[in-house]
Amino acid sequence: MRRTALIFLACQQACFLGGLAVCIALRPEGLGANAGVSYYGNFFDTFPFYALSMLGTALFSLLAARVITVPAYWPLRQGLLAIAFLTAVITLTPYTRSAFVDLSHTLAGIIMFTIQLAISVWALVKLNWSAGALTFVLLETATGIVSVMFVLPAEGYLIQAQIGFQVAFAGLLFFAFKGLLPREGE
């Protein structure tokens, strides 16, 4: 179970960061647009890579959740399932289409970040406040605060903060998968 979940986590991050790297290379102005990762879902040339980034993340979150079969870790499983669903919703609701779609997009993002924080606290407690897990939770907290600060202003570092948050969350998942999930055959 552990090895498979870690492979899916690595694939998730490869999709997320790889797709975004192509988007940023195609439209570097997105780094200053202060529209976050979702900025790249609004353009014909970046949408395929944005979709790869986001839907790849959703797919591998779903696959990782499916391998977690130990009942004691169902909060982690259910959280990953919710993240997969919400990531797909965020991808398929471009915030520039209408006020309703923007609201749906924003609410899905808020709910997803809240679930990620809940998983993080749960994992931190389950991992007995290990230094590695605590470090990633503190990084998540810091980048989460920065994200909230830049949601409304016209200029800022929203995309950088969002990417930092997601990378910190992935780091915490690495510790959780490695420290909690049994090895295959156990």
Side-chain angles (χ1 to χ4, degrees), residues 43 46 56 78 82 84 87 92 114-115 142-143 146 151-152 161 171 177:
F43 302 100
T46 57
Q78 297 305 316
T87 302
L92 301 173
T114 303
I115 290 170
T143 54
V146 173
V151 166
L152 295 178
F177 289 174

Side-chain angles (χ1 to χ4, degrees), residues 18-41:
L20 283 179
V22 174
C23 289
I24 291 168
L26 291 172
R27 288 187 178 264
E29 65 273 13
L31 292 172
N34 205 46
V37 171
S38 300
Y39 173 83
Y40 295 109

Side-chain angles (χ1 to χ4, degrees), residues 70-76 118-130 133-134 137 172 175-181:
V70 176
Y73 304 129
W74 281 46
L76 180 58
I119 290 171
S120 299
V121 171
W122 175 87
L124 184 61
V125 170
K126 283 287 199 184
L127 292 165
N128 297 316
W129 295 79
S130 75
L134 181 59
V137 170
L172 178 71
F175 274 94
F177 289 174
K178 200 158 171 68
L180 298 174
L181 300 179

